[in-house]
Amino acid sequence: MTYILDDYAILSPLRSRNNWLKLAIVAFGILVGVSSSSPLVPFTIALCMSFATIYFGKIPVKFYFQILSVPAGFVLVSIIVIAFFFGEGVNFFSFDFFGYTLGVNPEGLNMALLILARTLGGMSCLFFLSLTTPVIELFAVLKKAKLPDSFVEIAMMMYRYIFVFLDVAMGVKYAQTVRLGYRDFRTSFRSMVMLGTNLFIRSWEQGEKLYLAMNSRCYDGKLIMYDEKRPVKMPELLLTGAYFTVVLAVFWFTRGVSLI
């Protein structure tokens, strides 16, 4: 069975914890990770948040590293470019590439490691939030935080119908595939055009049905979202305080420290 992030968030034991506390933990990790000049701080944040997501959130290790590998793959390409084309100093090694001399120096390598660490730290924080908190609860928190109602409601509907239309598109594509609609380039192009057209029509129909359904339920321009009150318990405060202390200690003692 294929799971999406919301499925794991609904089943996670951390779903029942205070959402404001989780948002504070994530915001703290992102801000401190971006503010640090040493890669050790974001790496520490990534390690702590990954441990919390896997151990306390009961997220399968294989699935977690699969989704983490997607942004890591993109950033690896970036840091290779940064390591070779940025920074000054004596190169660790160099080679000729079509008449140009390319090399890696300490400053460029440190910059590449810092970007890698910040990316992993930030993504581990976001995955902690998305894998332990259903999106509908995040929208309820945003609405309680006094964000414009129209913004929150439109964002919630967009998120909901992304998966509705994705399911429709997968169903149509499967039907086309079993009818040999993708046997060569010409038929594949024609099938993709038909898929896009069909999806547009389905989207229009779903929008009309949604509008009628909301009107029939006396929609007055505002959606009511349930926000369950969850008190913060002492063990949660102690663990959060320990996490903040460790990260701030690493931040303080690694100021200006580089790995190279």
Side-chain angles (χ1 to χ4, degrees):
M1 182 178 179
T2 302
Y3 286 89
I4 59 175
L5 298 183
D6 243 20
D7 295 325
Y8 285 103
I10 292 172
L11 299 174
S12 174
L14 293 180
R15 180 194 176 182
S16 60
R17 305 306 178 186
N18 187 278
N19 292 327
W20 293 97
L21 179 62
K22 288 185 281 187
L23 284 172
I25 293 172
V26 170
F28 171 82
I30 293 176
L31 291 176
V32 175
V34 172
S35 303
S36 174
S37 59
S38 172
L40 294 175
V41 178
F43 276 133
T44 303
I45 294 172
L47 182 63
C48 293
M49 299 307 294
S50 298
F51 174 79
T53 305
I54 294 172
Y55 182 77
F56 295 111
K58 305 302 180 183
I59 303 301
V61 178
K62 182 179 179 181
F63 173 77
Y64 180 77
F65 284 105
Q66 279 180 345
I67 60 175
L68 191 62
S69 65
V70 176
F74 283 105
V75 77
L76 282 175
V77 177
S78 301
I79 66 173
I80 291 174
V81 175
I82 292 171
F84 277 99
F85 292 96
F86 289 84
E88 299 178 352
V90 180
N91 291 335
F92 289 122
F93 67 91
S94 59
F95 60 92
D96 291 331
F97 182 76
F98 292 103
Y100 294 93
T101 301
L102 299 179
V104 177
N105 56 72
E107 185 178 347
L109 187 57
N110 276 319
M111 186 184 299
L113 291 175
L114 180 60
I115 292 175
L116 174 63
R118 286 177 174 176
T119 303
L120 293 179
M123 293 307 303
S124 63
C125 291
L126 293 177
F127 283 140
F128 168 79
L129 184 64
S130 60
L131 289 170
T132 60
T133 311
V135 174
I136 189 63
E137 295 186 8
L138 290 179
F139 285 132
V141 171
L142 294 176
K143 193 166 187 177
K144 197 171 182 179
K146 305 302 181 182
L147 266 71
D149 291 339
S150 57
F151 171 79
V152 176
E153 293 172 6
I154 290 174
M156 184 179 65
M157 292 180 185
M158 289 175 61
Y159 178 82
R160 169 70 178 90
Y161 278 93
I162 283 174
F163 298 100
V164 173
F165 298 145
L166 183 62
D167 184 62
V168 172
M170 292 176 63
V172 173
K173 186 174 181 181
Y174 178 77
Q176 292 175 331
T177 302
V178 298
R179 292 172 175 81
L180 302 179
Y182 294 90
R183 65 179 183 272
D184 53 37
F185 178 79
R186 183 178 179 180
T187 56
S188 298
F189 182 78
R190 183 180 178 184
S191 297
M192 289 299 295
V193 173
M194 295 176 63
L195 174 61
T197 304
N198 194 12
L199 188 59
F200 175 79
I201 297 174
R202 294 285 185 90
S203 302
W204 189 281
E205 292 176 349
Q206 288 289 346
E208 293 290 336
K209 292 179 181 178
L210 175 64
Y211 177 75
L212 293 175
M214 294 174 68
N215 280 339
S216 65
R217 289 166 176 80
C218 303
Y219 175 67
D220 60 353
K222 292 185 179 181
L223 293 176
I224 299 175
M225 300 183 187
Y226 175 68
D227 185 21
E228 182 181 355
K229 294 183 178 180
R230 298 165 180 168
V232 181
K233 300 178 181 179
M234 185 57 65
E236 300 169 8
L237 287 177
L238 293 177
L239 285 173
T240 303
Y243 165 66
F244 285 5
T245 303
V246 169
V247 173
L248 290 176
V250 176
F251 181 86
W252 178 263
F253 289 109
T254 58
R255 292 176 299 168
V257 176
S258 60
L259 297 180
I260 305 300

